[in-house]
Structure formats: C-alpha cells, structure tokens
C-alpha cells in the first residue's frame, strides 16, 4: 500500500515537472520571438497605465476650458487639447482602461459561452450539434460590426451594452473552434477509457478533453481582444458605444473628425493609441500561437 502511494506521488511529481519544463520551453520560445516580445511589453505597459492612470493624468480628462480648445501639442499640453479644451494625453490615458476593460470582459464572456456551446455540440453531436451550430451560422452570416450596431440599437448606448453586443457577435467563433477540437479527439483512447470507468460527461469534457485543446482557444482569445477593441472604437466613433464625457478612443475620433483639417492632432493621437494596442495584441497572439504549437517547439 505504501509502495503504491509512493509510486503515485512520484508519478505526480514527474507530471508536474514535465508541465513545468513544457511551460519553460514555451516561454523561452515566446521570448525569442522579437515581435511577440514587443507585443507583450506593450501590453504590460498598457495594463500598468490602465491600473495607475488616475494617478498620472496631468489634468482631469473630462474637464476642460473652452478658451484653451484646439491647442497644438506644447509643454503645457503634450498632445494638445480637443474641441472642449480637454487635455488629450489625459483622455488617452483614461481611455486605456476603458478599451482594455471592454476588450477583456467581452472576450471572457464570449469565450465562456462559446466553450459551453461548442463542447455540447462537439461531444453530443447529432441533433444537438445541428441546432447549436445552425444558430451559430446564422449569427456568423451577418457582418460582426453591423450585428453589433443592431444590438446596440436594441439595447441602448453605454459601455455595458457595448460589452454585451460585442460578446454576442463573437460567441460563434469560439464555439466553432471548441467544437472542431473536440470532434478531433473525443474518440481518443483516453476519452474512451474515461467513459469506461464511469466518468460523467461533464467531467470528461472539462477534465480530459478541454485541457488538451486549450492552445487554439487561448490564441484566439488573445487575438479576439484586439478585435473587440476595434469594434469598441468603431461603435464609439458612430456614437453608439461609451458615451460622453467618458474618454474612449473611438468616441474621441468621432468627436474630433470635424476638426481634422484645423487640428489634426485631435484624431491623430487616439488613432495611434488604437493602432498600437491592436498591433500589440496581434503580435503577441501570433507569437503565442507559435509557442503553443508543439511541432514548432520541436
């Protein structure tokens, strides 16, 4: 009995050390990818800005003086002021937390629902699979931004509504990835063995199948954050997303486009912020995909 217990402990230690070795190898490959490393550094920087932004903003991002409106970048206002005299640097810093919050929250919600629906469809198949995936196909039949606008029109404006709208239109992407991954391995020997020893379906799905298909899900979620940030900016540009006076990069573009020829800095700097953020998540997602691919690691 003691011998069996010691053997089980040794097996667990070997398994944990193997996982640690794989993680170390994956992280090392990710670091060697310069583009992914740059993306990761930018993301870490943005997260820090989002956390401490309130303490480093030079001015109140929602309060301005009309007498200082449309000022070009200067020592007083490093990125200039907008049409209401508000400091653009302060608004971009404040908008960082909004964009990241919408991106991460909407992806988390869509990923959770997508994993559940995709797991049910892929594992049970037949009529359940047909019903779920036809609903997903109906959602995918519409352009995501157009469908998000429709949801925003029905739900109303605001950051919470934007999160819900963006989440709903991206659920099918995660559901299809999970379904296809489960279909490819649900007849594997270890899954069959789990069925034979009497494991419940939920245990088989979440303990034996999903951990082995997590790589494509993580990569798609990382890339999905950049798409969610773009959709948030597009909704804000159209006046359907985050409402004034809250500082959101897309709404800053929308309100400043009228003054583009007189004061181009109003739209230039929010546009740069959107571009850098989306590019960072895309670079990191591509590097993460390569690092999680065992063929490329070998």
């Amino acid at each position: 009995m003691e011998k069996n217990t010691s053997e089980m402990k040794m097996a667990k230690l070997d398994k944990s050390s193997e996982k640690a070795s794989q993680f170390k190898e994956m992280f090392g490959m990710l670091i060697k990818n310069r583009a992914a490393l740059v993306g990761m550094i930018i993301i870490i920087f943005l997260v820090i800005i989002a956390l401490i932004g309130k303490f480093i903003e030079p001015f109140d991002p929602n309060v301005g003086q009309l007498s200082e409106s449309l000022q070009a970048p200067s020592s007083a206002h490093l990125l200039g002021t907008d049409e209401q005299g508000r400091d653009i640097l302060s608004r971009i810093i404040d908008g960082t937390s909004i964009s990241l919050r919408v991106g991460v929250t909407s992806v988390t919600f869509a990923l959770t629902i997508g994993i559940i629906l995709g797991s049910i469809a892929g594992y049970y198949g037949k009529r359940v699979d047909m019903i779920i995936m036809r609903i997903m196909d109906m959602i995918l039949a519409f352009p995501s931004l157009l469908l998000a606008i429709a949801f925003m029109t029905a739900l109303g404006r605001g950051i919470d509504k934007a999160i819900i709208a963006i989440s709903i239109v991206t659920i099918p992407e995660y559901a299809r990835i999970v379904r296809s991954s489960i279909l490819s391995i649900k007849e594997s020997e270890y899954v069959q063995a789990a069925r034979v020893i009497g494991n419940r379906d939920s245990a088989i799905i979440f303990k034996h199948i999903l951990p082995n298909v997590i790589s494509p899900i993580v990569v798609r979620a990382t890339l999905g954050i950049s798409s969610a940030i773009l959709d948030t900016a597009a909704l804000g540009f159209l006046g359907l997303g985050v409402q004034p006076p809250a500082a959101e990069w897309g709404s800053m573009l929308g309100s400043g486009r009228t003054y583009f020829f007189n004061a181009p800095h109003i739209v230039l700097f929010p546009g740069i912020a959107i571009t850098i953020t989306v590019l960072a998540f895309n670079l990191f997602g591509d590097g993460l995909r390569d690092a999680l691919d065992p063929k490329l690691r070998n």
Side-chain angles (χ1 to χ4, degrees), residues 13-90:
L13 288 174
D14 291 340
K15 191 173 182 180
S16 61
S17 62
E18 182 181 355
K19 288 183 178 179
S21 177
Q22 291 177 352
F23 177 79
K24 185 177 180 181
E25 184 180 0
M26 181 199 73
F27 186 74
M29 186 174 180
L30 186 63
I31 294 298
K32 290 179 182 178
N33 188 327
R34 293 184 178 180
L37 180 60
V38 171
M40 183 172 64
I41 292 173
I42 294 174
I43 292 172
I44 293 173
F45 174 75
L46 290 171
V47 171
I48 294 173
I49 291 296
L51 293 175
I52 66 172
K54 294 293 184 182
F55 304 101
I56 62 175
E57 293 167 356
F59 299 92
D60 189 324
N62 300 322
V63 177
Q65 298 181 6
L66 291 177
S67 59
E68 297 181 353
S69 63
L70 303 180
Q71 286 188 5
S74 63
S75 57
H77 299 278
L78 295 180
L79 301 185
T81 59
D82 62 8
E83 70 280 3
Q84 297 185 28
R86 296 171 297 192
D87 183 67
I88 292 179
L89 175 59
S90 300

Side-chain angles (χ1 to χ4, degrees), residues 168-221:
I168 293 175
V169 300
T170 53
I171 286 174
E173 300 178 17
Y174 302 106
R176 290 174 70 89
I177 292 174
V178 174
R179 172 185 176 271
S180 61
S181 299
I182 288 180
L183 285 175
S184 65
I185 67 169
K186 74 174 184 177
E187 300 301 331
S188 300
E189 292 182 359
Y190 67 90
V191 177
Q192 296 289 352
R195 290 197 190 102
V196 170
I197 63 176
N199 283 339
R200 293 180 299 177
D201 291 342
S202 58
I204 294 174
I205 292 173
F206 290 101
K207 290 185 178 180
H208 299 286
I209 297 180
L210 284 180
N212 292 288
V213 300
I214 199 67
S215 297
I217 299 173
V218 171
V219 173
R220 185 63 192 88

